[in-house]
Amino acid sequence: MELTPVTDLPEIRPGDDLAALIADRAGDDLESGDVLTVASTIVSKAEGRVADLEEYPVSARAQEIADTIGDLTDEEKDPRFAQAVLEESTELLIDCPFLLTETRFGHICVNAGIDQSNVPGHDLLLLPKRPAKSAERIREGLAEHGHDDIAVIVTDTCGRPFRHGQRGVALGWAGMPASRDWRGEVDRDGDELEVTVQSVVDELSSAANLVTGEGADGVPAVVVSDWEFGDLEGSDELFRSVEDDLVRQALREWDWKGGA
């Protein structure tokens, strides 16, 4: 597998054609069968998903959240940011000492994935509304510019429970399944695999993140070449349903003040 960063992309602004910009710079590095990972930051910028704190009138719930977290951490918290998080979420799983939420497209992350860095002229950068649709639009745009059969993954970075640090994850994808299903296959001892489902879109996102980097030196798009999905069954079920998610069920019963 080979990872090639797409360099020299300009600062992305609302309305920019990401597919055209990437196709122009990727050139011969982008071939049929490749996977293109695109950071959600530039997808959001192209889609105008920027906002200012003054756009969020503070509700009583947002004020309560900001006050509670502020008292606990001894730091002043802006209730307008809490309001923005609430408006970008379908469920608030943890409200203290930080906000863990479910986004409107099913991703669970801190602060609804809202970024307060790398947003020239604005306070907030929101996640794409429908990352899968965003990935499909980029894929179609690449085809219009002569790059057919390119799978596209919209990526982000987030932390993991029980571990320090962040890693790349997939928010939306097009042109490939999210995971490959090893159930029914056998291990080296000949025993049948019963639960193994490999999230390839997350693994490719994480691998690409090693190349994209972070901070001011970050590169927001990477071409993944010489990788094949294989002949295993595929699935697009990436986000667990509430019924299958024991952690989410436990969090609904958890109280940060002293347990359930």
Side-chain angles (χ1 to χ4, degrees):
M1 184 172 74
E2 184 174 352
L3 304 169
T4 305
V6 179
T7 58
D8 298 325
L9 285 168
E11 176 65 34
I12 303 300
R13 306 199 180 278
D16 281 351
D17 186 339
L18 287 183
L21 292 170
I22 292 170
D24 181 59
R25 287 156 179 79
D28 295 337
D29 289 330
L30 192 58
E31 299 180 348
S32 177
D34 287 347
V35 179
L36 175 71
T37 69
V38 185
S40 62
T41 51
I42 64 170
V43 176
S44 291
K45 289 178 179 181
E47 295 177 355
R49 293 283 286 159
V50 295
D52 294 311
L53 288 169
E54 64 186 20
E55 299 174 28
Y56 295 94
V58 177
S59 65
R61 181 69 173 119
Q63 188 66 60
E64 178 188 17
I65 289 170
D67 290 344
T68 301
I69 296 178
D71 290 343
L72 184 66
T73 61
D74 200 27
E75 296 180 1
E76 185 176 354
K77 298 299 180 181
D78 195 328
R80 297 173 299 175
F81 182 78
Q83 184 65 40
V85 172
L86 290 175
E87 293 188 18
E88 289 297 310
S89 306
T90 58
E91 183 175 3
L92 187 58
L93 297 173
I94 295 177
D95 59 9
C96 193
F98 60 89
L99 300 180
L100 182 68
T101 76
E102 180 184 4
T103 68
R104 298 189 181 281
F105 56 90
H107 179 51
I108 293 178
C109 56
V110 175
N111 293 335
I114 297 176
D115 200 343
Q116 292 183 279
S117 60
N118 298 315
V119 199
H122 295 278
D123 298 324
L124 308 175
L125 183 65
L126 315 177
L127 289 180
K129 281 188 175 182
R130 298 177 182 84
K133 294 290 186 183
S134 302
E136 184 60 43
R137 281 194 295 270
I138 295 171
R139 174 175 160 81
E140 292 173 353
L142 291 172
E144 293 173 0
H145 289 85
H147 296 284
D148 295 312
D149 192 26
I150 306 296
V152 176
I153 304 174
V154 176
T155 70
D156 196 16
T157 56
C158 65
R160 298 162 293 176
F162 315 116
R163 291 178 182 263
H164 290 293
Q166 296 185 323
R167 51 71 171 101
V169 297
L171 300 184
W173 55 94
M176 65 178 295
S179 58
R180 50 188 178 190
D181 193 342
W182 291 87
R183 291 173 295 183
E185 302 293 321
V186 295
D187 63 15
R188 292 182 178 182
D189 296 323
D191 295 325
E192 183 175 323
L193 300 174
E194 297 181 355
V195 298
T196 303
V197 178
Q198 183 181 17
S199 177
V200 291
V201 289
D202 279 340
E203 291 185 328
L204 292 173
S205 299
S206 189
N209 197 57
L210 292 172
V211 177
T212 59
E214 300 286 354
D217 296 327
V219 178
V222 173
V223 177
V224 182
S225 306
D226 300 325
W227 178 86
E228 294 183 359
F229 186 89
D231 58 2
L232 295 169
E233 290 292 326
S235 170
D236 275 333
E237 293 184 5
L238 183 64
F239 305 117
R240 286 186 184 273
S241 65
V242 175
E243 294 75 19
D244 296 332
D245 195 336
L246 298 179
V247 175
R248 191 193 307 201
Q249 293 175 29
L251 285 175
R252 285 179 168 180
E253 302 297 327
W254 180 75
D255 181 355
W256 68 272
K257 295 179 181 178

